[in-house]
Every structure is written in C-alpha cells, then in structure tokens.
C-alpha cells in the first residue's frame, strides 16, 4: 500500500513560491523520494471592489484592488515521512499550502 501526497502551493509572491518549491524539490532529491512536478497553473487575477464608506446607500468607491495568485502542484509518491515533514513546516504568511493524501492499493488487491 502506497500513499501519494499532493501538495498545492499558492501565493501572490511568485519569487517566494518558487523558492519554496525549489526547497521541496531539493529536499525530495536528497531523500530519494519520487516527486512529480512542479506543475504550474496559469496565474489567476482577482479584482476586489473597494467602497469609500460602509453605508449601503453610498455608491462611491475607490478603484478596485487587483492581485494575482500563482499556483504550483507537486506529488510525492511513497516516502510518507518526507511528505509529513514538508506539510508540517512553517511557511511564510504569503504562501498557502494544502496537502491531500491518497492511498493507492496494489494491483490484484480487493477493497
């Protein structure tokens, strides 16, 4: 039985995101873990309207705040301790990480 850990990292700071991804890749290479990725997704741009006042009847607003979010995905096959260590690390506030673990059964085994 093997575990696949899928890490999704997101940030508005591309340099910080790529630095963390490079650290994860280097750590996986040192440990001899099977790593797939990083897979880059197209950047997403978000626009947030900003009101001048909190009153519902006031239609005045500032220009919208726009920001871009960059996403990278990595998969670690097996090597559960490495995946656990990476997922429990402290990351900068500018980087968001999600970890998803999937259990893979060997061929010929029933559920």
């Amino acid at each position: 039985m093997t575990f696949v850990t899928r890490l999704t990292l997101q940030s508005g700071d591309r340099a910080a995101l790529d630095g963390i991804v490079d650290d994860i890749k280097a750590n996986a290479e040192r440990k001899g873990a099977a790593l797939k990725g990083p897979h880059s997704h197209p950047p997403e741009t978000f626009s947030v309207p900003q009101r001048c006042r909190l009153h519902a009847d006031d239609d005045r607003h500032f220009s919208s705040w726009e920001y871009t979010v960059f996403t990278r995905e990595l998969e670690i096959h097996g090597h559960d301790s490495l995946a656990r260590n990476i997922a429990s690390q402290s990351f900068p506030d500018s980087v968001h990480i999600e970890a998803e673990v999937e259990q893979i059964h060997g061929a010929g085994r029933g559920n």
Side-chain angles (χ1 to χ4, degrees):
M1 181 167 22
T2 304
F3 289 95
V4 176
T5 305
R6 182 174 295 112
L7 301 173
T8 304
L9 296 98
Q10 294 180 316
S11 180
D13 183 351
R14 185 190 308 199
L17 179 66
D18 290 339
I20 289 172
V21 168
D22 290 342
D23 290 346
I24 292 171
K25 283 175 45 178
N27 198 2
E29 287 174 6
R30 272 195 315 274
K31 301 285 185 176
L35 180 73
K36 288 188 179 181
H39 304 291
S40 298
H41 295 266
E44 292 182 81
T45 302
F46 296 94
S47 179
V48 179
Q50 300 185 86
R51 302 270 179 205
C52 289
R53 295 185 173 226
L54 297 177
H55 299 290
D57 58 347
D58 190 349
D59 290 335
R60 293 180 294 165
H61 61 277
F62 297 111
S63 58
S64 294
W65 173 49
E66 293 190 2
Y67 64 99
T68 303
V69 175
F70 303 94
T71 303
R72 306 287 185 268
E73 277 190 12
L74 299 127
E75 288 184 3
I76 301 170
H77 293 259
H79 236 287
D80 306 335
S81 61
L82 172 65
R84 203 173 309 115
N85 287 341
I86 291 171
S88 66
Q89 285 180 8
S90 293
F91 293 98
D93 290 339
S94 64
V95 177
H96 174 76
I97 183 169
E98 291 181 13
E100 180 182 326
V101 180
E102 182 180 354
Q103 186 177 2
I104 306 294
H105 295 281
R109 290 191 61 171
N111 287 336

